[in-house]
PDB file of all heavy atoms in Angstrom:
ATOM      1  N   PHE A   1     -10.293  -0.005   5.964  1.00 93.00           N
ATOM      2  CA  PHE A   1     -11.637   0.235   5.369  1.00 93.00           C
ATOM      3  C   PHE A   1     -12.705  -0.623   5.908  1.00 93.00           C
ATOM      4  O   PHE A   1     -13.859  -0.523   5.465  1.00 93.00           O
ATOM      5  CB  PHE A   1     -11.429  -0.093   3.830  1.00 93.00           C
ATOM      6  CG  PHE A   1     -10.458   0.797   3.118  1.00 93.00           C
ATOM      7  CD1 PHE A   1      -9.250   0.246   2.790  1.00 93.00           C
ATOM      8  CD2 PHE A   1     -10.738   2.103   2.845  1.00 93.00           C
ATOM      9  CE1 PHE A   1      -8.247   1.045   2.152  1.00 93.00           C
ATOM     10  CE2 PHE A   1      -9.703   2.926   2.205  1.00 93.00           C
ATOM     11  CZ  PHE A   1      -8.532   2.345   1.882  1.00 93.00           C
ATOM     12  N   THR A   2     -12.369  -1.332   7.067  1.00 89.00           N
ATOM     13  CA  THR A   2     -13.410  -2.171   7.730  1.00 89.00           C
ATOM     14  C   THR A   2     -14.251  -3.056   6.814  1.00 89.00           C
ATOM     15  O   THR A   2     -15.363  -3.384   7.123  1.00 89.00           O
ATOM     16  CB  THR A   2     -14.400  -1.287   8.496  1.00 89.00           C
ATOM     17  OG1 THR A   2     -15.124  -0.388   7.634  1.00 89.00           O
ATOM     18  CG2 THR A   2     -13.613  -0.309   9.583  1.00 89.00           C
ATOM     19  N   ASP A   3     -13.611  -3.495   5.734  1.00 91.00           N
ATOM     20  CA  ASP A   3     -14.250  -4.335   4.710  1.00 91.00           C
ATOM     21  C   ASP A   3     -13.185  -4.957   3.875  1.00 91.00           C
ATOM     22  O   ASP A   3     -12.607  -4.229   3.119  1.00 91.00           O
ATOM     23  CB  ASP A   3     -15.337  -3.562   3.938  1.00 91.00           C
ATOM     24  CG  ASP A   3     -16.166  -4.416   3.054  1.00 91.00           C
ATOM     25  OD1 ASP A   3     -15.638  -5.313   2.408  1.00 91.00           O
ATOM     26  OD2 ASP A   3     -17.352  -4.227   3.022  1.00 91.00           O
ATOM     27  N   GLU A   4     -13.020  -6.215   3.974  1.00 94.00           N
ATOM     28  CA  GLU A   4     -11.943  -6.927   3.235  1.00 94.00           C
ATOM     29  C   GLU A   4     -12.296  -6.819   1.693  1.00 94.00           C
ATOM     30  O   GLU A   4     -11.294  -6.664   0.982  1.00 94.00           O
ATOM     31  CB  GLU A   4     -11.883  -8.407   3.684  1.00 94.00           C
ATOM     32  CG  GLU A   4     -11.380  -8.595   5.077  1.00 94.00           C
ATOM     33  CD  GLU A   4      -9.950  -8.198   5.266  1.00 94.00           C
ATOM     34  OE1 GLU A   4      -9.212  -8.104   4.252  1.00 94.00           O
ATOM     35  OE2 GLU A   4      -9.525  -8.069   6.396  1.00 94.00           O
ATOM     36  N   ALA A   5     -13.530  -6.913   1.323  1.00 93.00           N
ATOM     37  CA  ALA A   5     -13.939  -6.983  -0.040  1.00 93.00           C
ATOM     38  C   ALA A   5     -13.649  -5.566  -0.704  1.00 93.00           C
ATOM     39  O   ALA A   5     -13.061  -5.537  -1.823  1.00 93.00           O
ATOM     40  CB  ALA A   5     -15.369  -7.306  -0.272  1.00 93.00           C
ATOM     41  N   VAL A   6     -13.861  -4.493  -0.005  1.00 93.00           N
ATOM     42  CA  VAL A   6     -13.654  -3.108  -0.531  1.00 93.00           C
ATOM     43  C   VAL A   6     -12.101  -2.983  -0.673  1.00 93.00           C
ATOM     44  O   VAL A   6     -11.574  -2.425  -1.616  1.00 93.00           O
ATOM     45  CB  VAL A   6     -14.294  -2.075   0.391  1.00 93.00           C
ATOM     46  CG1 VAL A   6     -13.623  -0.740   0.045  1.00 93.00           C
ATOM     47  CG2 VAL A   6     -15.715  -2.083   0.282  1.00 93.00           C
ATOM     48  N   ALA A   7     -11.334  -3.384   0.409  1.00 95.00           N
ATOM     49  CA  ALA A   7      -9.893  -3.258   0.413  1.00 95.00           C
ATOM     50  C   ALA A   7      -9.309  -4.068  -0.761  1.00 95.00           C
ATOM     51  O   ALA A   7      -8.489  -3.545  -1.471  1.00 95.00           O
ATOM     52  CB  ALA A   7      -9.335  -3.753   1.719  1.00 95.00           C
ATOM     53  N   ALA A   8      -9.744  -5.255  -0.989  1.00 96.00           N
ATOM     54  CA  ALA A   8      -9.230  -6.087  -2.012  1.00 96.00           C
ATOM     55  C   ALA A   8      -9.542  -5.439  -3.426  1.00 96.00           C
ATOM     56  O   ALA A   8      -8.610  -5.442  -4.300  1.00 96.00           O
ATOM     57  CB  ALA A   8      -9.817  -7.485  -2.021  1.00 96.00           C
ATOM     58  N   ALA A   9     -10.701  -4.993  -3.678  1.00 95.00           N
ATOM     59  CA  ALA A   9     -11.050  -4.302  -4.882  1.00 95.00           C
ATOM     60  C   ALA A   9     -10.235  -3.036  -5.105  1.00 95.00           C
ATOM     61  O   ALA A   9      -9.791  -2.816  -6.260  1.00 95.00           O
ATOM     62  CB  ALA A   9     -12.463  -3.882  -4.940  1.00 95.00           C
ATOM     63  N   MET A  10      -9.961  -2.370  -4.119  1.00 95.00           N
ATOM     64  CA  MET A  10      -9.135  -1.055  -4.165  1.00 95.00           C
ATOM     65  C   MET A  10      -7.716  -1.456  -4.578  1.00 95.00           C
ATOM     66  O   MET A  10      -7.091  -0.854  -5.346  1.00 95.00           O
ATOM     67  CB  MET A  10      -9.193  -0.284  -2.848  1.00 95.00           C
ATOM     68  CG  MET A  10      -8.896   1.131  -2.950  1.00 95.00           C
ATOM     69  SD  MET A  10      -9.205   1.986  -1.504  1.00 95.00           S
ATOM     70  CE  MET A  10     -10.948   1.572  -1.106  1.00 95.00           C
ATOM     71  N   ILE A  11      -7.095  -2.436  -3.800  1.00 96.00           N
ATOM     72  CA  ILE A  11      -5.814  -2.858  -3.985  1.00 96.00           C
ATOM     73  C   ILE A  11      -5.673  -3.400  -5.388  1.00 96.00           C
ATOM     74  O   ILE A  11      -4.568  -3.030  -6.118  1.00 96.00           O
ATOM     75  CB  ILE A  11      -5.305  -3.951  -2.945  1.00 96.00           C
ATOM     76  CG1 ILE A  11      -5.277  -3.322  -1.579  1.00 96.00           C
ATOM     77  CG2 ILE A  11      -4.021  -4.535  -3.345  1.00 96.00           C
ATOM     78  CD1 ILE A  11      -5.096  -4.384  -0.459  1.00 96.00           C
ATOM     79  N   ASP A  12      -6.583  -4.158  -5.945  1.00 96.00           N
ATOM     80  CA  ASP A  12      -6.518  -4.631  -7.209  1.00 96.00           C
ATOM     81  C   ASP A  12      -6.378  -3.574  -8.327  1.00 96.00           C
ATOM     82  O   ASP A  12      -5.571  -3.672  -9.246  1.00 96.00           O
ATOM     83  CB  ASP A  12      -7.773  -5.522  -7.444  1.00 96.00           C
ATOM     84  CG  ASP A  12      -7.780  -6.082  -8.887  1.00 96.00           C
ATOM     85  OD1 ASP A  12      -6.919  -6.975  -9.237  1.00 96.00           O
ATOM     86  OD2 ASP A  12      -8.688  -5.802  -9.727  1.00 96.00           O
ATOM     87  N   ARG A  13      -7.166  -2.542  -8.190  1.00 96.00           N
ATOM     88  CA  ARG A  13      -7.051  -1.343  -9.188  1.00 96.00           C
ATOM     89  C   ARG A  13      -5.706  -0.584  -8.907  1.00 96.00           C
ATOM     90  O   ARG A  13      -5.134  -0.130  -9.912  1.00 96.00           O
ATOM     91  CB  ARG A  13      -8.232  -0.455  -8.908  1.00 96.00           C
ATOM     92  CG  ARG A  13      -9.560  -0.977  -9.471  1.00 96.00           C
ATOM     93  CD  ARG A  13     -10.777  -0.268  -8.920  1.00 96.00           C
ATOM     94  NE  ARG A  13     -12.012  -0.642  -9.629  1.00 96.00           N
ATOM     95  CZ  ARG A  13     -12.627  -1.790  -9.337  1.00 96.00           C
ATOM     96  NH1 ARG A  13     -12.128  -2.595  -8.384  1.00 96.00           N
ATOM     97  NH2 ARG A  13     -13.705  -2.173  -9.895  1.00 96.00           N
ATOM     98  N   LEU A  14      -5.310  -0.433  -7.694  1.00 96.00           N
ATOM     99  CA  LEU A  14      -4.069   0.324  -7.495  1.00 96.00           C
ATOM    100  C   LEU A  14      -2.841  -0.337  -8.073  1.00 96.00           C
ATOM    101  O   LEU A  14      -1.867   0.324  -8.552  1.00 96.00           O
ATOM    102  CB  LEU A  14      -3.946   0.557  -6.040  1.00 96.00           C
ATOM    103  CG  LEU A  14      -4.873   1.655  -5.328  1.00 96.00           C
ATOM    104  CD1 LEU A  14      -4.634   1.607  -3.904  1.00 96.00           C
ATOM    105  CD2 LEU A  14      -4.589   3.008  -5.940  1.00 96.00           C
ATOM    106  N   ILE A  15      -2.684  -1.581  -7.762  1.00 96.00           N
ATOM    107  CA  ILE A  15      -1.417  -2.237  -8.131  1.00 96.00           C
ATOM    108  C   ILE A  15      -1.436  -2.854  -9.532  1.00 96.00           C
ATOM    109  O   ILE A  15      -0.373  -3.297  -9.951  1.00 96.00           O
ATOM    110  CB  ILE A  15      -1.013  -3.373  -7.067  1.00 96.00           C
ATOM    111  CG1 ILE A  15      -2.049  -4.583  -7.233  1.00 96.00           C
ATOM    112  CG2 ILE A  15      -0.977  -2.867  -5.741  1.00 96.00           C
ATOM    113  CD1 ILE A  15      -1.694  -5.700  -6.315  1.00 96.00           C
ATOM    114  N   HIS A  16      -2.508  -2.819 -10.284  1.00 96.00           N
ATOM    115  CA  HIS A  16      -2.442  -3.214 -11.642  1.00 96.00           C
ATOM    116  C   HIS A  16      -1.424  -2.572 -12.475  1.00 96.00           C
ATOM    117  O   HIS A  16      -0.718  -3.233 -13.224  1.00 96.00           O
ATOM    118  CB  HIS A  16      -3.859  -3.098 -12.268  1.00 96.00           C
ATOM    119  CG  HIS A  16      -3.955  -3.758 -13.656  1.00 96.00           C
ATOM    120  ND1 HIS A  16      -4.899  -3.252 -14.603  1.00 96.00           N
ATOM    121  CD2 HIS A  16      -3.282  -4.652 -14.241  1.00 96.00           C
ATOM    122  CE1 HIS A  16      -4.769  -3.968 -15.697  1.00 96.00           C
ATOM    123  NE2 HIS A  16      -3.742  -4.827 -15.532  1.00 96.00           N
ATOM    124  N   HIS A  17      -1.292  -1.267 -12.364  1.00 96.00           N
ATOM    125  CA  HIS A  17      -0.205  -0.534 -12.982  1.00 96.00           C
ATOM    126  C   HIS A  17       0.477   0.243 -12.012  1.00 96.00           C
ATOM    127  O   HIS A  17       0.159   1.442 -11.736  1.00 96.00           O
ATOM    128  CB  HIS A  17      -0.782   0.346 -14.085  1.00 96.00           C
ATOM    129  CG  HIS A  17      -1.657  -0.237 -15.103  1.00 96.00           C
ATOM    130  ND1 HIS A  17      -1.189  -1.149 -16.027  1.00 96.00           N
ATOM    131  CD2 HIS A  17      -3.054  -0.217 -15.290  1.00 96.00           C
ATOM    132  CE1 HIS A  17      -2.225  -1.557 -16.795  1.00 96.00           C
ATOM    133  NE2 HIS A  17      -3.347  -1.076 -16.343  1.00 96.00           N
ATOM    134  N   ALA A  18       1.351  -0.263 -11.270  1.00 97.00           N
ATOM    135  CA  ALA A  18       1.960   0.419 -10.154  1.00 97.00           C
ATOM    136  C   ALA A  18       3.405  -0.050  -9.810  1.00 97.00           C
ATOM    137  O   ALA A  18       3.784  -1.199 -10.100  1.00 97.00           O
ATOM    138  CB  ALA A  18       1.131   0.269  -8.868  1.00 97.00           C
ATOM    139  N   GLU A  19       4.208   0.865  -9.230  1.00 96.00           N
ATOM    140  CA  GLU A  19       5.431   0.521  -8.579  1.00 96.00           C
ATOM    141  C   GLU A  19       5.244   0.550  -7.119  1.00 96.00           C
ATOM    142  O   GLU A  19       4.858   1.557  -6.517  1.00 96.00           O
ATOM    143  CB  GLU A  19       6.532   1.550  -9.043  1.00 96.00           C
ATOM    144  CG  GLU A  19       7.860   1.125  -8.687  1.00 96.00           C
ATOM    145  CD  GLU A  19       8.436   0.048  -9.496  1.00 96.00           C
ATOM    146  OE1 GLU A  19       8.506   0.246 -10.848  1.00 96.00           O
ATOM    147  OE2 GLU A  19       8.926  -0.932  -8.984  1.00 96.00           O
ATOM    148  N   VAL A  20       5.493  -0.630  -6.440  1.00 95.00           N
ATOM    149  CA  VAL A  20       5.328  -0.665  -5.010  1.00 95.00           C
ATOM    150  C   VAL A  20       6.654  -0.778  -4.395  1.00 95.00           C
ATOM    151  O   VAL A  20       7.519  -1.736  -4.648  1.00 95.00           O
ATOM    152  CB  VAL A  20       4.458  -1.944  -4.660  1.00 95.00           C
ATOM    153  CG1 VAL A  20       4.265  -2.044  -3.117  1.00 95.00           C
ATOM    154  CG2 VAL A  20       3.103  -1.914  -5.369  1.00 95.00           C
ATOM    155  N   LEU A  21       6.936   0.161  -3.398  1.00 94.00           N
ATOM    156  CA  LEU A  21       8.156   0.252  -2.772  1.00 94.00           C
ATOM    157  C   LEU A  21       8.019   0.023  -1.268  1.00 94.00           C
ATOM    158  O   LEU A  21       7.111   0.695  -0.704  1.00 94.00           O
ATOM    159  CB  LEU A  21       8.885   1.561  -3.008  1.00 94.00           C
ATOM    160  CG  LEU A  21       9.269   1.803  -4.456  1.00 94.00           C
ATOM    161  CD1 LEU A  21       8.850   3.176  -4.828  1.00 94.00           C
ATOM    162  CD2 LEU A  21      10.803   1.637  -4.619  1.00 94.00           C
ATOM    163  N   THR A  22       8.713  -0.821  -0.658  1.00 92.00           N
ATOM    164  CA  THR A  22       8.570  -1.132   0.785  1.00 92.00           C
ATOM    165  C   THR A  22       9.816  -0.530   1.444  1.00 92.00           C
ATOM    166  O   THR A  22      10.937  -0.914   1.145  1.00 92.00           O
ATOM    167  CB  THR A  22       8.442  -2.632   1.076  1.00 92.00           C
ATOM    168  OG1 THR A  22       7.329  -3.077   0.510  1.00 92.00           O
ATOM    169  CG2 THR A  22       8.292  -2.788   2.575  1.00 92.00           C
ATOM    170  N   LEU A  23       9.568   0.396   2.327  1.00 91.00           N
ATOM    171  CA  LEU A  23      10.588   1.032   3.149  1.00 91.00           C
ATOM    172  C   LEU A  23      10.702   0.460   4.474  1.00 91.00           C
ATOM    173  O   LEU A  23       9.673   0.124   5.141  1.00 91.00           O
ATOM    174  CB  LEU A  23      10.443   2.572   3.263  1.00 91.00           C
ATOM    175  CG  LEU A  23      10.780   3.418   1.932  1.00 91.00           C
ATOM    176  CD1 LEU A  23       9.886   3.149   0.822  1.00 91.00           C
ATOM    177  CD2 LEU A  23      10.823   4.866   2.377  1.00 91.00           C
ATOM    178  N   ASP A  24      11.900   0.252   5.018  1.00 85.00           N
ATOM    179  CA  ASP A  24      12.048  -0.300   6.302  1.00 85.00           C
ATOM    180  C   ASP A  24      13.154   0.395   7.056  1.00 85.00           C
ATOM    181  O   ASP A  24      13.677   1.454   6.547  1.00 85.00           O
ATOM    182  CB  ASP A  24      12.406  -1.874   6.178  1.00 85.00           C
ATOM    183  CG  ASP A  24      11.965  -2.637   7.361  1.00 85.00           C
ATOM    184  OD1 ASP A  24      11.642  -1.993   8.434  1.00 85.00           O
ATOM    185  OD2 ASP A  24      12.026  -3.906   7.323  1.00 85.00           O
ATOM    186  N   GLY A  25      13.452  -0.088   8.228  1.00 66.00           N
ATOM    187  CA  GLY A  25      14.649   0.453   8.992  1.00 66.00           C
ATOM    188  C   GLY A  25      14.163   1.340  10.093  1.00 66.00           C
ATOM    189  O   GLY A  25      12.964   1.537  10.419  1.00 66.00           O
ATOM    190  N   GLU A  26      15.096   1.970  10.653  1.00 65.00           N
ATOM    191  CA  GLU A  26      14.982   2.743  11.788  1.00 65.00           C
ATOM    192  C   GLU A  26      14.345   4.146  11.545  1.00 65.00           C
ATOM    193  O   GLU A  26      14.625   4.750  10.413  1.00 65.00           O
ATOM    194  CB  GLU A  26      16.305   3.118  12.548  1.00 65.00           C
ATOM    195  CG  GLU A  26      16.276   3.680  13.903  1.00 65.00           C
ATOM    196  CD  GLU A  26      17.618   3.897  14.470  1.00 65.00           C
ATOM    197  OE1 GLU A  26      18.631   3.574  13.871  1.00 65.00           O
ATOM    198  OE2 GLU A  26      17.710   4.417  15.623  1.00 65.00           O
ATOM    199  N   SER A  27      13.516   4.714  12.379  1.00 57.00           N
ATOM    200  CA  SER A  27      12.872   6.072  12.149  1.00 57.00           C
ATOM    201  C   SER A  27      14.027   7.068  12.025  1.00 57.00           C
ATOM    202  O   SER A  27      14.989   7.043  12.611  1.00 57.00           O
ATOM    203  CB  SER A  27      12.105   6.352  13.370  1.00 57.00           C
ATOM    204  OG  SER A  27      11.979   7.754  13.544  1.00 57.00           O
ATOM    205  N   TYR A  28      13.797   7.920  11.001  1.00 52.00           N
ATOM    206  CA  TYR A  28      14.627   9.042  10.767  1.00 52.00           C
ATOM    207  C   TYR A  28      14.878   9.849  12.044  1.00 52.00           C
ATOM    208  O   TYR A  28      16.006  10.233  12.367  1.00 52.00           O
ATOM    209  CB  TYR A  28      14.040   9.972   9.702  1.00 52.00           C
ATOM    210  CG  TYR A  28      14.426   9.676   8.280  1.00 52.00           C
ATOM    211  CD1 TYR A  28      13.399   9.344   7.406  1.00 52.00           C
ATOM    212  CD2 TYR A  28      15.713   9.660   7.874  1.00 52.00           C
ATOM    213  CE1 TYR A  28      13.699   8.963   6.049  1.00 52.00           C
ATOM    214  CE2 TYR A  28      16.039   9.289   6.570  1.00 52.00           C
ATOM    215  CZ  TYR A  28      15.011   8.984   5.680  1.00 52.00           C
ATOM    216  OH  TYR A  28      15.339   8.688   4.358  1.00 52.00           O
ATOM    217  N   ARG A  29      13.809  10.135  12.729  1.00 52.00           N
ATOM    218  CA  ARG A  29      13.958  11.028  13.932  1.00 52.00           C
ATOM    219  C   ARG A  29      14.703  10.248  14.990  1.00 52.00           C
ATOM    220  O   ARG A  29      15.526  10.842  15.675  1.00 52.00           O
ATOM    221  CB  ARG A  29      12.514  11.385  14.404  1.00 52.00           C
ATOM    222  CG  ARG A  29      11.824  12.294  13.443  1.00 52.00           C
ATOM    223  CD  ARG A  29      10.429  12.803  14.021  1.00 52.00           C
ATOM    224  NE  ARG A  29       9.401  11.729  13.858  1.00 52.00           N
ATOM    225  CZ  ARG A  29       8.690  11.633  12.804  1.00 52.00           C
ATOM    226  NH1 ARG A  29       8.895  12.413  11.752  1.00 52.00           N
ATOM    227  NH2 ARG A  29       7.702  10.690  12.704  1.00 52.00           N
ATOM    228  N   THR A  30      14.438   8.990  15.210  1.00 50.00           N
ATOM    229  CA  THR A  30      15.203   8.234  16.236  1.00 50.00           C
ATOM    230  C   THR A  30      16.630   8.093  15.881  1.00 50.00           C
ATOM    231  O   THR A  30      17.459   8.355  16.692  1.00 50.00           O
ATOM    232  CB  THR A  30      14.596   6.820  16.319  1.00 50.00           C
ATOM    233  OG1 THR A  30      13.256   6.898  16.744  1.00 50.00           O
ATOM    234  CG2 THR A  30      15.398   6.051  17.429  1.00 50.00           C
TER     235      THR A  30
END
């Protein structure tokens, strides 16, 4: 978003009531 303040405000609203899942590992296609 080329703006740390905007990004922080957006993240704050998104994760207030959220389930955050981090996926990792090898590409499906690979």
Side-chain angles (χ1 to χ4, degrees):
F1 300 104
T2 62
D3 189 312
E4 295 291 344
V6 170
M10 203 171 306
I11 293 169
D12 182 63
R13 285 165 173 77
L14 285 171
I15 67 174
H16 185 202
H17 306 290
E19 191 74 57
V20 180
L21 298 131
T22 301
L23 282 69
D24 204 350
E26 188 178 4
S27 158
Y28 273 119
R29 289 184 285 272
T30 301

